[in-house]
Amino acid sequence: GESVGLHLPTLSVQEGDNSIINCAYSNSASDYFIWYKQESGKGPQFIIDIRSNMDKRQGQRVTVLLNKTVKHLSLQIAATQPGDSAVYFCAETTGNQFYFGTGTSLTVIP
Amino acid sequence: GAVVSQHPSWVICKSGTSVKIECRSLDFQATTMFWYRQFPKQSLMLMATSNEGSKATYEQGVEKDKFLINHASLTLSTLTVTSAHPEDSSFYICSARGLGEGNSPLHFGNGTRLTVT
């Protein structure tokens, strides 16, 4: 299902620190998960994805962790930069529909 | 590759009029398109899923007669907001998935800001 009507939680980090953004998903049947970054007035931009047969996946400066037992997903951003300031959403899918989590607004303090 | 273009990027219309938003896949064939609505500081809410050549599947609570979706070709889907009212003012975003992509990231357009006065 979707998070409807909930306002975005916020996270502020110092430039150069690591950021951890969390997401709780709702459907235990979801088998594919994606993290998106959304800048103001734009559509979501793909960051990294993970399939349900994995529990960790790394990209450039980003790592996604999946805990299916508690239906939890996290995005770790290493050495956070001002350009990382945006809203981050996780999305879950069983293949037919994609549902987005509440999202987190990340602000990087120079 | 995998570019989705949405038009217009913003539109202002008067209450009671209808507005059409276009979503085009520029370099791939979009067999499935998804329409989302986003209010300020909130998440994306899935409105409907459309497959080329068939009727759209609407999410619970979304009025299909108010939000008309047409996906007549593999590169174009349209969302028409009929008899728009101020409460329809929102950010509408489309996304698309190509043939055979299965579980792969959706490609998103840059959204349309609709303001109904």
Side-chain angles (χ1 to χ4, degrees), chain B residues 44-109:
Chain B
L44 285 76
M45 295 168 42
L46 180 63
M47 299 175 68
T49 303
S50 73
N51 292 298
E52 184 265 338
S54 59
K55 289 184 179 180
T57 301
Y58 289 81
E59 293 295 300
Q60 191 173 8
V62 178
E63 299 176 59
K64 62 180 181 180
D65 294 330
K66 179 166 185 63
F67 299 100
L68 301 179
I69 291 172
N70 184 283
H71 190 172
S73 79
L74 285 171
T75 59
L76 174 64
S77 176
T78 60
L79 167 67
T80 301
V81 182
T82 62
S83 186
H85 291 284
E87 57 265 31
D88 298 324
S89 298
S90 191
F91 193 51
Y92 293 88
I93 309 172
C94 73
S95 64
R97 185 170 62 189
L99 182 65
E101 288 189 344
N103 271 351
S104 60
L106 297 181
H107 314 294
F108 281 88

Side-chain angles (χ1 to χ4, degrees), chain A:
Chain A
E2 303 177 65
S3 298
V4 175
L6 299 177
H7 288 252
L8 297 172
T10 59
L11 173 67
S12 296
V13 298
Q14 288 290 139
E15 181 178 358
D17 287 353
N18 297 333
S19 302
I20 299 176
I21 299 171
N22 297 303
C23 175
Y25 65 93
S26 56
N27 189 351
S28 56
S30 294
D31 57 4
Y32 179 55
F33 305 87
I34 313 153
W35 279 101
Y36 285 96
K37 172 185 181 182
Q38 186 181 29
E39 295 176 326
S40 181
K42 296 185 177 180
Q45 174 187 359
F46 171 79
I47 301 174
I48 192 168
D49 58 0
I50 189 167
R51 303 191 191 283
S52 59
N53 61 351
M54 303 171 69
D55 53 21
K56 181 179 180 178
R57 189 159 189 234
Q58 287 183 296
Q60 188 175 15
R61 281 203 308 121
V62 293
T63 300
V64 54
L65 299 177
L66 173 62
N67 185 331
K68 294 184 288 295
T69 303
V70 295
K71 293 190 285 188
H72 184 268
L73 200 64
S74 69
L75 175 70
Q76 300 176 2
I77 304 173
T80 314
Q81 302 168 0
D84 295 327
S85 294
V87 177
Y88 291 81
F89 293 99
C90 68
E92 59 175 309
T93 181
T94 56
N96 292 326
Q97 287 102 352
F98 283 73
Y99 293 107
F100 281 77
T102 308
T104 297
S105 177
L106 174 66
T107 300
V108 181
I109 304 166

